[in-house]
Amino acid sequence: MTEIKQTMADVQAEAKRCLYCVDAPCQKGCPAGVDVAQFIRHLRYADVKSAKRVIKTANPLGGICGTLCPSENLCQKNCTMNYCGAPIRIRDLQKFACANAAYAPDLAPASGKKAAVVGAGPAGLGCAAMLARLGHEVDVFEKDAAAAGVVAREIPAQRIDASVVENDLAELACGRIRFHYNTPVTAQKLEELKQEYAAVFVGAGLAQDRMSGVDIAEGAPVAGCSQYLADLKSGKTKAVSGTVLVVGGGDSAIDAVCASLEAGAEKAVLAYRRSRAEMPACDEEFFAAAGKGVELMYMVSPVAVAKTADGGAAVTFVRNRLVEKPGEARRGFEAVPGSEFTLNAAQVVFAIGKKADAALVAGTPDRDTLRVAGTNCFVGGDWLNGGATVVEAVAEGKRAAAAMDALMK
Ligand code: SF4
């Protein structure tokens, strides 16, 4: 689905297609609970400022989500218009509203309470924004030199413009949120924060790329996806050449193949262990990558990476076949005996997930309340759920903020 033109006339034309459904299935599909029908109604009458207020009230990172959300799997998947043509392009409308109006949040009177947030990624920002609106002072501790986590650090500029991130961050600022950059929080520091603040939220994200299950020779050109993308985005890696082989099937893997081509790779190959039907990458990003000439290999798993004489990698793969797994939504896979083959690449990138720093939080958070029992510590975002969408992280941050507010009252 191509993006609607970001002009008022096109936006109004799209808004007029909306049925303004009473039961609002689109809103139920939005993890942040944005009142979609309401903001689209405002756009229909060219009231962009009111549309943005509806979005931002529910989602402090509405601009980022209006750019990155896999809406085909969320609000747009639920849209009634799927039954009579095409769904309303909700994400594009949200993107327009957030880019074309000013916004400042409504603030409750100061509570006199202070909360700490560990991590300035989407979960931490969602939590901090809501706590500040509820009247609390918030100190945000971030290990990096900037906020927005993977959005700022890893997602290529071709997918999200820096100005979108800057706008959302600027609209969080209300004099009640202080950012402490380059300030990693250890388990010991977290204990100190729990003493110092009325409530603490840990939305620290995932710290390390997973590289497990593959025999990797020392010195072979192998990188974890998040580090690879971060190095490309920061300019630490100026250019790449030859063939880049990316192992994985999520949106990060798609980002890695596209960013590789953008940085000069002659060929980018995506190797995934199951079929396209099981691939977690959203259709829009997948088809965009395919359109750029990314080569796709399905139902293969790497088993070993050797270093070649020219400093490249020789990756041994095994072919898989799909198997039904009772009780599981996705089909599983198993290796086909004797199916090994080798592929050479200048660079191998593993995009098979990331690990949390499990030692950071003592105790297990409750999945509903997000609170670690018997403490003033709450946990959410990727650290807890293993990695989800930006909007799901924001939603968890919001949920934690409501629980922290109740604790602090
Ligand atoms: S489900 Fe679709 S048509 Fe109905 S209110 Fe939401 S966006 Fe409009």
Side-chain angles (χ1 to χ4, degrees):
M1 183 181 284
T2 49
E3 186 177 325
I4 56 167
K5 285 187 204 147
Q6 295 279 303
T7 65
M8 193 70 246
D10 283 305
V11 162
Q12 283 184 283
E14 184 68 2
K16 280 180 187 161
R17 291 205 307 122
C18 179
L19 304 172
Y20 310 107
C21 308
V22 175
D23 59 342
C26 47
Q27 184 172 358
K28 294 189 183 95
C30 174
V34 170
D35 187 341
V36 175
Q38 183 65 11
F39 95 73
I40 293 179
R41 192 187 299 275
H42 287 308
L43 287 178
R44 177 182 182 136
Y45 298 105
D47 184 354
V48 185
K49 191 172 179 187
S50 296
K52 183 167 183 178
R53 175 156 292 278
V54 170
I55 295 163
K56 285 283 200 152
T57 298
N59 184 351
L61 301 188
I64 293 172
C65 292
T67 305
L68 294 178
C69 255
S71 43
E72 70 203 40
N73 300 326
L74 300 169
C75 53
Q76 285 175 202
K77 183 179 179 184
N78 284 9
C79 178
T80 310
M81 287 297 286
N82 279 301
Y83 300 104
C84 31
I88 303 296
R89 296 177 205 189
I90 300 166
R91 188 188 60 194
D92 294 350
L93 297 180
Q94 178 165 323
K95 180 179 179 182
F96 177 86
C98 289
N100 290 284
Y103 168 78
D106 294 330
L107 301 177
S111 68
K113 298 283 172 53
K114 282 176 68 179
V117 169
V118 178
L125 293 176
C127 183
M130 291 304 173
L131 287 171
R133 292 178 192 182
L134 290 163
H136 310 300
E137 297 285 324
V138 188
D139 282 317
V140 180
F141 299 90
E142 167 56 46
K143 67 177 171 49
D144 288 341
V150 294
V151 177
R153 190 176 60 242
E154 298 171 24
I155 295 181
Q158 296 78 29
R159 272 187 70 202
I160 185 159
D161 193 89
S163 65
V164 175
V165 180
E166 286 160 12
N167 281 348
D168 273 351
L169 291 175
E171 288 167 354
L172 294 180
C174 57
R176 288 180 180 163
I177 303 175
R178 283 174 302 279
F179 288 93
H180 305 268
Y181 293 116
N182 301 307
T183 309
V185 170
T186 60
Q188 186 186 338
K189 175 72 177 171
L190 181 59
E191 291 307 309
E192 292 169 16
L193 295 179
K194 283 155 67 177
Q195 300 298 321
E196 189 181 340
Y197 292 86
V200 179
F201 175 69
V202 178
L206 302 173
Q208 291 173 300
D209 286 301
R210 279 186 199 279
M211 311 278 280
S212 58
V214 181
D215 182 11
I216 300 172
E218 194 177 337
V222 174
C225 187
S226 64
Q227 191 60 55
Y228 180 74
L229 287 171
D231 287 348
L232 280 174
K233 190 161 186 179
S234 69
K236 187 175 172 191
T237 300
K238 302 267 183 261
V240 295
S241 58
T243 297
V244 176
L245 174 63
V246 178
V247 178
D251 287 334
S252 296
I254 299 284
D255 282 342
V257 281
C258 292
S260 298
L261 290 175
E262 196 74 33
E266 279 105 61
K267 192 158 91 168
V269 180
L270 187 68
Y272 180 55
R273 57 192 177 172
R274 295 182 172 98
S275 75
R276 169 62 191 141
E278 289 80 28
M279 201 180 233
C282 69
D283 282 350
E284 189 173 342
E285 300 307 325
F286 172 81
F287 288 120
K292 288 175 182 166
V294 170
E295 290 188 19
L296 303 158
M297 289 202 307
Y298 294 115
M299 301 210 288
V300 292
S301 294
V303 290
V305 182
K307 185 180 176 186
T308 58
D310 63 357
V315 185
T316 302
F317 282 95
V318 64
R319 295 192 190 281
N320 297 324
R321 61 182 158 227
L322 296 173
V323 291
E324 298 299 333
K325 292 235 169 175
E328 288 188 21
R330 278 201 308 177
R331 286 180 293 180
F333 63 92
E334 62 184 18
V336 177
S339 64
E340 288 84 358
F341 67 100
T342 300
L343 205 68
N344 283 8
Q347 174 72 53
V348 180
V349 179
F350 278 87
I352 54 175
K354 291 192 278 187
K355 289 186 283 191
D357 175 6
L360 180 60
V361 179
T364 307
D366 182 280
R367 289 270 166 183
D368 292 325
T369 64
L370 304 178
R371 184 177 181 182
V372 180
T375 74
N376 61 346
C377 182
F378 297 75
V379 184
D382 288 356
W383 192 95
L384 186 65
N385 60 36
T389 60
V390 171
V391 69
E392 286 167 308
V394 172
E396 279 201 349
K398 281 177 60 180
R399 197 147 60 91
M404 292 163 77
D405 179 56
L407 179 71
M408 288 191 279
K409 274 182 175 153

